[in-house]
Each structure stands twice: as structure tokens, then as C-alpha cells.
Amino acid sequence: MAMIKSKIVTVLLWCLLAALLVVGLRGAAEISRFSNISLRFSQPICGQTAHRTRQYSIECNGYNQFWPTFWHEGSAEFSAGVRTVQASAISYSGNAALVWPGRYVAGSAPSSVDGNGVAVSEALAHSLWGSIDIVGMLVYVDDAPRIVRGVFEANGELALLSFHIEDTQQSWTAIELEGGTQHPTRSHAESFAIASGLGRPDYMLMGGVITLARFMPILPLIIAAIHLLVMLIGFMGKYYPAARMPVVFVGFILFAIAVPFLLNSLPPWIIPTHWSDFIFWQELLQQANAGLREFLGATPMLRDVELRLGLLKQAVVMVVALCVCVYICAKN
């Protein structure tokens, strides 16, 4: 009876571990939707400077060059019918997915050439209309008319206000960069900012936390896979000794196949090409320290809060998954 209970507990623990890994992988996919390079400026960037930056990207023919999305965060008064709500607003010019990578439950985000569109959160839609079936409806934002293009998921009342990429009347305090080289570095982003006329940003938020979030669910997965392989080898050695070495050989082949995929998910500065070089580790620690300081030092925007909450959830899931994995390994 005790043995049956033990096996049931083991099966339940494996199911729990599998569920945690699925949650972790889904969380990593959600965090991966955030941009890898975010530049923040204390002094607002005028519309003419933003226009010249885009012209610079075009003149470079797009070869290994960044394309910028400009935005700033504030608040605005939204009116629809007899209802008026003061809510947070993110104004942007470019790719809305880089500014707020939310999921849309109706419609979509206004495009980069839409100067009259707006996307609202579910909470704001319910506050103004009592429904999310509002695509195409008119809303006044600080007394200026706009058309609702989509409704997205968010924790509070929030709206995304689009401005045409040729509009030079707005000013911006943040820039999201997309494109560039396959693995853009801090120096790439800084060189682009200086060469395009933006100047050196006050903060440069790189994708280190996104890489960390991707790696978190992989660690317990690797431990569980190694444990299963060891158990399989032990089982074969006990009941089928002749098949033990082929199983070991297949395990090494699978490991060799998996290594390139694991390394491909990491930025080049982490890949172990110079692990025996002490200077490599010193530079790695300096980059990590600089990135952490800027990540914590920059004034958090709403999207930064979402990213940090996602990272915190990933950390909790990883810790629980590691505890379950270690317990299963010790128990068996």
C-alpha cells in the first residue's frame, strides 16, 4: 500500500513539474514580445529630430540598421457619450507592438500611418462603453476625435494613441529599436543613436532580462531530462545490460543535437567561446552590472512594470520547479 501511495505521489509530482515547465515556457514567450533595445531620454526629442532619425535609417538602405519607434507616456481625458474618464495614455509613432506588447481581444493596434486611431484596454472600454464591441466607434481624447481600432488586455485603464510617422508636431522621451544586426549590442544601439542625431541616451535598456526569462524554464527542464536519462540508463543496466551502451550513445547524440538550439537562444556575449579567459568574465560581469543598474535606475513606465511583473512570475515558477525537480531526483 505504501509503495502504491509513493508511486502516486511521484506521478503527481511529475505532472506538477510538467505544468510548471509549460507555465514557464509560456511566460518566456510572453516576455519575448518586449523589444530588446529601449532608449530613454530625460530631455524630450522633438518631432523634427525623430523625422531626421527615420530618414537616416532609410538612407542606410536598411542594411543592418535599426528602425525606431518613438513614444512617451502620460495621461489624457477620454470622452464617449456622457461618460468621461481620466486614464493613462501612451502616444507613439511606429510599431505599437514594441510600445505595448498586449494581446488584442477585438480589432488591432493602429498602424504606423494612422494618425487618428486609438486602441484601448478592456478596463477603459468597459468604463466608457460598458462593452468591448467598440471597434470603429468615436472617442474624444482631450477633445480631439479619434476612432477606436482595437481593444487589448491590460490590468488598468490605458490607451494607445497613434501618430503618423511623418508627424513632426509631437515630442518623445523613449525609443524602441527593431532590426539591426542579428544580435545587437549596447555599442550598436549607442552608435546608431549618436550617428542619427539623437545623441547619447540617458538610459539604454537592453534585452538581458528577456534572455534571463527565456533561460529560467530551461534550467529545471535540463535537470529533469538528465535525471530521466540517468534513470533510463540504470533501468537498462539492471534489466537489459546489452542495451545500456546504446542508450548512453543515443543520449549523447540527443545532447549534441540540443546544444546548438540552447546556445542559439543566448546572446553571443554569453556563449562559452572564451570561458577560460578571465578578461571575458570581467567584461561579462561589467555588462551585467551596467545593464542591471540601468534596468533598476530608469524611471519605470507602465510597460516596464509589466515586464518586471512577468520576470518576477518567471522567477517564482523557476524556484518552485527547481524545488520539485530536486525533490523528485532525491526521492528516486
Side-chain angles (χ1 to χ4, degrees):
M1 190 66 179
M3 184 177 294
I4 295 176
K5 289 183 178 180
S6 177
K7 289 182 178 180
I8 292 175
V9 170
T10 301
V11 171
L12 291 176
L13 287 174
W14 276 110
C15 292
L16 175 61
L17 179 60
L20 290 171
L21 292 177
V22 170
V23 171
L25 293 173
R26 291 184 62 182
E30 291 291 327
I31 292 178
S32 296
R33 297 166 63 190
F34 287 83
S35 62
N36 285 315
I37 304 177
S38 183
L39 310 181
R40 307 293 170 85
F41 294 82
S42 299
Q43 296 298 323
I45 300 167
C46 67
Q48 290 80 4
T49 300
H51 181 69
R52 287 195 298 268
T53 300
R54 286 201 171 103
Q55 289 299 118
Y56 173 80
S57 296
I58 295 173
E59 291 170 1
C60 291
N61 297 322
Y63 178 73
N64 285 343
Q65 195 54 270
F66 296 107
W67 182 255
T69 291
F70 298 88
W71 63 284
H72 67 82
E73 185 179 301
S75 63
E77 185 180 81
F78 296 83
S79 301
V82 296
R83 298 181 181 180
T84 300
V85 174
Q86 189 76 21
S88 300
I90 298 178
S91 301
Y92 71 93
S93 176
N95 186 355
L98 299 180
V99 175
W100 187 266
R103 295 187 179 276
Y104 282 78
V105 296
S108 61
S111 69
S112 60
V113 294
D114 184 353
N116 298 310
V118 59
V120 300
S121 66
E122 291 180 284
L124 183 55
H126 283 292
S127 296
L128 290 174
W129 291 278
S131 169
I132 62 172
D133 187 19
I134 58 172
V135 175
M137 290 189 177
L138 183 68
V139 61
Y140 286 87
V141 183
D142 289 336
D143 297 327
R146 282 182 176 266
I147 305 298
V148 177
R149 308 297 188 192
V151 181
F152 57 88
E153 295 178 352
N155 293 323
E157 297 177 342
L158 173 66
L160 304 179
L161 310 177
S162 67
F163 290 86
H164 197 282
I165 58 174
E166 299 295 333
D167 189 344
T168 58
Q169 302 303 312
Q170 297 296 314
S171 60
W172 316 99
T173 57
I175 304 173
E176 306 301 311
L177 298 182
E178 58 182 328
T181 60
Q182 184 178 2
H183 295 285
T185 63
R186 187 184 185 86
S187 61
H188 290 142
E190 187 174 14
S191 297
F192 171 80
I194 295 173
S196 63
L198 293 172
R200 183 173 282 104
D202 296 284
Y203 294 98
M204 297 177 58
L205 307 183
M206 307 299 292
V209 293
I210 299 176
T211 300
L212 180 62
R214 290 174 181 167
F215 180 74
M216 282 184 182
I218 294 178
L219 182 59
L221 181 61
I222 292 175
I223 295 175
I226 293 175
H227 175 67
L228 287 174
L229 182 60
V230 171
M231 288 181 61
L232 179 60
I233 293 173
F235 176 80
M236 287 297 191
K238 183 176 181 179
Y239 296 101
Y240 305 97
R244 181 176 181 178
M245 290 309 298
V247 170
V248 174
F249 182 71
V250 171
F252 278 117
I253 292 178
L254 293 176
F255 176 76
I257 294 174
V259 165
F261 291 98
L262 294 175
L263 295 180
N264 190 50
S265 64
L266 301 176
W269 48 273
I270 295 181
I271 296 176
T273 53
H274 305 287
W275 279 19
S276 60
D277 188 354
F278 287 104
I279 297 179
F280 167 82
W281 290 106
Q282 182 179 359
E283 293 178 350
L284 180 62
L285 290 175
Q286 289 175 351
Q287 291 184 50
N289 183 54
L292 181 61
R293 284 178 177 274
E294 296 204 347
F295 179 71
L296 297 177
T299 302
M301 306 293 190
L302 289 175
R303 67 184 297 280
D304 301 331
V305 174
E306 289 293 317
L307 177 59
R308 295 179 184 187
L309 287 175
L311 186 64
L312 179 61
K313 292 176 182 177
Q314 284 291 88
V316 171
V317 171
M318 186 197 70
V319 170
V320 177
L322 283 176
C323 292
V324 173
C325 190
V326 170
Y327 179 79
I328 291 175
C329 294
K331 189 173 183 296
N332 292 281

